[in-house]
Amino acid sequence: MKIDWDVPLLMDDGLPLRADVFRPDGEGKYPALLSYGPYGKGLAFQEGYKTAWDIMARENPDVLAGSSNRYQNWEVVDPEKWVPDGYVCVRVDSRGAGRSPGYLCHNSARETKDIHDCIEWAAKQPWCSGKVGMNGISYYASNQWRAAAAKPPHLAAICVWEGWNDAYRESARHGGIICSFRKNWQDMQVKTVQHGYASGKKNPNTGEPVCGPEVLPDADLLKNREDMWQAFLSRETWDDYYAERSPDLSRVTIPLLSAANWGGQGLHTRGNFEGFVRSKSKDKWLEAHGGSHWAPFYTDYGRDLQKRFFGHFLKNEKNGWDQQPRVLLNVRHPGEKFVPRRENEWPLARTKWTRLYLKKDLSLSEADGKGEGTVSYDPMGNGLTFSMQVKKETEITGPSALKLFVSSATNDADLFVVLRVFDPAGKEVLFQGALDPKTPVGQGWLRASHRKIDAKKSLPYRPWHTHDELRKLKKDEVVELDIEIWPTCIVVPAGWKIALSIRGRDYEHDDAAATLSNMKHPMKGCGPFTHDDPTDRPPAVFGGKVTLHFGGKPFILLPIIPEN
C-alpha cells in the first residue's frame, strides 16, 4: 500500500490538522474510512497500551494473523487488513493532539466542525470515490454520532463500535453523580500525547515524534488544553456545555451499525442502544457482544461484520448485508458463553416486563404483598441486597428500571444500584467487562436531588431525568425515585439467584483486583468508572443514613424474555 504521512488538512480557521493516509497501491478511486481522535496516530498500540495488546494477542490470535501489525494504533482499524480490500484509511490527529497543533477541547462544536471538514476533504481527493465512512472504537466511535448529526454531504455510513453519545448521562455524570474516569483519562491517555508534549515516543515506522516536531513548555501545554475535569466538576446540572457535546440523534439519518458491549457499564453501552433506537436512519443495525472493549473489533468476527456493512454501503457489494438481521444479540450465559441470536427490534417486542417487588425481609417477589415498614443502611457500607431464586432458566435482556421510596438523614443521597447473579453455593457470578475482567450484570445511578423526570421522554423501562434542577431533600422526607439501569443480558440457570443491591458507593467485589497499564487504579468491579470525588460527594452530605420505605411497594422492572 501507499502511505502518505502527516498530510496537512487545512481547517476553516487556517489551522492544519495532520493525517496519515493508507491507500491501495493501484490507481483508482476508493471509499475512505476516516477516524479522528486524541490518542496520537503515530503511537503504536503495542507501546501505548501494552497490557491491552498483550491480553488481546494472547486471547485472540486471529487479531494478529495476516498482518505485520506495524501500523496498529489504539482503537482504529489495521490498514493492512482493510487497504487490500479497496479502502483508504485516513487517521487524523484531533486538534491539539499528536502531530496536530491547536487547542485541545474534547467533543466540542469546534471538534465536530473539524470532523465535518476532514470528511469533506477526504471525499474531494483524487483517490476517493466520494464516499466516506467512519469506523473505530470509543472516542473514535462516539464522535461519529456528532459527525452524522452535522450532516457532511459525503459521510455515507458509520460503524459506532462501543461509543457513547450523551455527554452528561453516559460520560460526565451518571444519574447526576460525577464519574472520576474523565479526570484520570485526560491525565493518563490524553495529556501524554498532547501536541508539543515531550513524551519521547516516536512513530516506529517514520521515527518522527508522536507529539509533533517541537516541544512546548508546560505553561504552553496547559494553556493549549481545556481542563475537562474542572469543566465537568463545575457543572452539576445539564447546560449548554453538555448540550454542545451531545448530538441531536433525530438528525442522524445515514446508514449505521451500532455495536454495543454488555460489559460496557459506565460509559458506552447506553449510548449504543439509545443511538440505535432514537436515530432516524432508515438503514440501521444493532449488534451486542461481550468480551473486552477492544478485542471484538479486531477479531475475524468483528471485522467481517464491519466489512460486510461498509462493503454494502460504500462499495455497493452484493454481500448479503441486505439479509442481515436488524438486531444481532450475542446472548450471555455464565462462564462467558455467548449464543448469537437474530432479532428484529430493540427492546425485544416479546419482552415480558416483570415487576419484582422489594420486601422488608430483603427478598424479591412477583407478589406485591402489604408493603409495610422501613429498612435503613449506611451509605458507606455494603448497603442492602434483595434476592430471589429462579425456579427455571430465566433470560434477562434489555433495560431495567427501579422505583424506590427513600428518605435521608441529610439533604441529599446518592443511590448506586447493582443487578447481580449468585450461583447455588451463594457465590456471585462475575463477567468480563469492557475494561474490568470481573463485573456484575448491570448498574444504575441516581442522586436523589436529580429525581426530576421528563414525562415525555421517559419510558416505563427507561426513566429520563432532566438534570436541570436540584430538588434537595428535607431531613427524613420520603421521596419517590425512578432509577435507570443500563441495558444488559444474562441467562440465569434454574436454582440460581437474581439479586439487586442498593448502596451509597461504588460496587466492589471480593475477588482480586485487576490492572491495565492505561488505568490509574486497580479495578474492583466498576472498571475505571468510579464515583469517589470528595468535592462532588462530601461525606457530610452523602454519608448520612438512608432509609427505604416499603409502603409505596418499591419494585424493579426487569425485561424477562420468554422461551421461543
Side-chain angles (χ1 to χ4, degrees):
M1 60 187 172
K2 297 175 182 175
I3 307 174
D4 304 315
W5 302 105
D6 278 341
V7 178
L9 281 62
L10 205 63
M11 298 295 100
D12 63 347
D13 62 351
L15 188 88
L17 302 183
R18 298 288 175 176
D20 293 340
V21 181
F22 303 82
R23 51 197 178 94
D25 194 37
E27 297 299 321
K29 293 181 178 291
Y30 307 94
L33 286 179
L34 185 138
S35 58
Y36 175 109
Y39 296 138
K41 62 183 175 59
L43 180 62
F45 191 146
Q46 300 91 318
E47 180 183 6
Y49 301 86
K50 179 173 172 37
T51 50
W53 175 264
D54 290 345
I55 293 169
M56 181 170 68
R58 182 176 68 248
E59 297 180 354
N60 304 94
D62 56 324
V63 170
L64 277 64
S67 173
S68 72
N69 298 296
R70 288 177 57 190
Y71 311 105
Q72 289 280 14
N73 192 226
W74 177 246
E75 297 187 334
V76 295
V77 301
D78 177 1
E80 288 188 78
K81 293 189 175 182
W82 284 84
V83 173
D85 284 344
Y87 292 93
V88 177
C89 297
V90 181
R91 293 176 176 170
V92 186
D93 271 339
S94 63
R95 181 178 293 245
R99 295 180 66 81
S100 292
Y103 184 69
L104 186 63
C105 185
H106 304 291
N107 312 131
S108 63
R110 175 67 262 180
E111 182 174 281
T112 301
K113 181 65 167 66
D114 284 350
I115 299 170
H116 177 288
D117 291 354
C118 289
I119 290 166
E120 293 307 296
W121 173 88
K124 295 172 184 175
Q125 299 311 300
W127 39 255
C128 187
S129 66
K131 287 189 175 183
V132 180
M134 293 185 73
N135 197 9
I137 314 170
S138 195
Y139 198 104
Y140 299 103
S142 65
N143 61 23
Q144 295 178 43
W145 297 118
R146 287 181 290 108
K151 294 186 175 298
H154 292 92
L155 182 59
I158 57 174
C159 175
V160 186
W161 200 278
E162 300 189 33
W164 59 270
N165 59 64
D166 190 313
Y168 187 100
R169 295 166 183 83
E170 296 155 13
S171 174
R173 289 182 170 271
H174 299 137
I177 310 166
I178 199 164
C179 177
S180 300
F181 169 69
R182 284 299 180 193
K183 177 183 180 181
N184 301 325
W185 171 80
Q186 191 173 45
D187 284 346
M188 297 188 68
Q189 290 184 241
V190 178
K191 286 160 56 172
T192 53
V193 286
Q194 183 180 354
H195 182 75
Y197 180 74
S199 70
K201 294 182 171 62
K202 294 184 177 181
N203 183 322
N205 300 288
T206 66
E208 294 293 329
V210 166
C211 299
E214 60 180 344
V215 173
L216 298 176
D218 288 346
D220 287 354
L221 292 171
L222 190 64
K223 184 175 66 176
N224 285 351
R225 67 173 180 262
E226 177 196 43
D227 187 334
M228 190 182 204
W229 176 247
Q230 286 303 316
F232 287 174
L233 196 59
S234 62
R235 293 175 171 87
E236 183 176 345
T237 54
W238 173 272
D239 64 6
D240 290 345
Y241 178 89
Y242 296 112
E244 178 183 328
R245 289 157 175 77
S246 303
D248 177 356
L249 291 171
S250 69
R251 289 180 52 82
V252 177
T253 56
I254 61 172
L256 70 89
L257 169 60
S258 180
N261 189 326
W262 300 122
Q265 307 283 322
L267 187 55
H268 297 302
T269 303
R270 182 186 188 274
N272 280 110
F273 287 102
E274 288 288 324
F276 172 76
V277 172
R278 292 167 47 217
S279 62
K280 298 301 182 183
S281 301
K282 174 177 63 74
D283 298 311
K284 59 181 179 179
W285 285 263
L286 173 68
E287 185 270 354
H289 54 267
S292 71
H293 180 40
W294 51 88
F297 177 82
Y298 293 98
T299 59
D300 291 346
Y301 164 82
R303 200 171 62 258
D304 174 69
L305 196 69
Q306 298 157 42
K307 282 191 175 180
R308 288 192 296 113
F309 170 72
F310 282 120
H312 182 78
F313 287 106
L314 299 188
K315 299 170 72 176
N316 298 316
E317 291 178 351
K318 306 301 181 184
N319 58 14
W321 186 262
D322 55 336
Q323 302 301 313
Q324 177 74 13
R326 288 298 174 135
V327 176
L328 175 61
L329 304 181
N330 288 279
V331 179
R332 182 168 61 176
H333 296 249
E336 302 300 335
K337 296 176 182 176
F338 295 89
V339 179
R341 192 173 70 208
R342 301 166 66 99
E343 298 288 352
N344 299 313
E345 71 289 308
W346 181 268
L348 306 188
R350 66 182 184 281
T351 302
K352 181 184 176 185
W353 297 102
T354 303
R355 290 187 178 189
L356 296 184
Y357 291 90
L358 283 62
K359 301 302 181 68
K360 186 178 178 181
D361 64 0
L362 303 186
S363 65
L364 293 171
S365 173
E366 289 194 54
D368 57 6
K370 295 181 179 179
E372 297 176 348
T374 64
V375 177
S376 300
Y377 64 90
D378 173 7
M380 297 300 103
N382 291 325
L384 302 171
T385 298
F386 301 80
S387 64
M388 180 185 78
Q389 187 178 59
V390 298
K391 296 179 180 178
K392 64 177 183 178
E393 184 177 86
T394 302
E395 179 184 337
I396 300 170
T397 297
S400 304
L402 175 64
K403 183 176 285 294
L404 293 179
F405 301 87
V406 309
S407 62
S408 172
T410 70
N411 69 357
D412 215 338
D414 283 347
L415 284 293
F416 293 74
V417 176
V418 191
L419 195 58
R420 309 166 73 182
V421 170
F422 291 83
D423 69 17
K427 180 174 175 55
E428 184 174 11
V429 182
L430 301 171
F431 301 89
Q432 170 70 55
L435 295 172
D436 195 318
K438 296 179 180 179
T439 64
V441 175
Q443 298 188 67
W445 309 263
L446 184 65
R447 176 161 288 174
S449 59
H450 286 245
R451 62 189 179 277
K452 180 183 173 185
I453 292 284
D454 184 326
K456 290 184 178 179
K457 289 186 177 181
S458 290
L459 298 165
Y461 49 80
R462 198 269 286 127
W464 187 277
H465 299 89
T466 61
H467 298 295
D468 61 358
E469 177 186 343
L470 298 182
R471 295 180 173 178
K472 294 292 187 178
L473 307 182
K474 298 174 183 176
K475 184 178 179 181
D476 298 327
E477 172 194 16
V478 180
V479 295
E480 181 178 347
L481 305 180
D482 293 286
I483 304 176
E484 175 184 6
I485 301 174
W486 286 16
T488 190
C489 173
I490 182 61
V491 177
V492 185
W496 291 36
K497 285 185 177 180
I498 298 171
L500 175 76
S501 290
I502 301 171
R503 306 159 56 90
R505 61 185 178 92
D506 284 311
Y507 164 90
E508 290 185 2
H509 57 62
D510 295 327
D511 290 6
T515 305
L516 286 173
S517 59
N518 57 311
M519 299 299 159
K520 188 173 182 64
H521 302 296
M523 298 179 291
K524 303 177 181 179
C526 294
F529 309 111
T530 55
H531 308 77
D532 52 9
D533 184 80
T535 306
D536 184 67
R537 304 192 67 229
V541 176
F542 297 100
K545 181 177 69 174
V546 175
T547 301
L548 302 187
H549 297 257
F550 296 93
K553 299 180 180 179
F555 65 86
I556 181 171
L557 184 69
L558 288 180
I560 305 299
I561 309 302
E563 295 180 75
N564 287 332

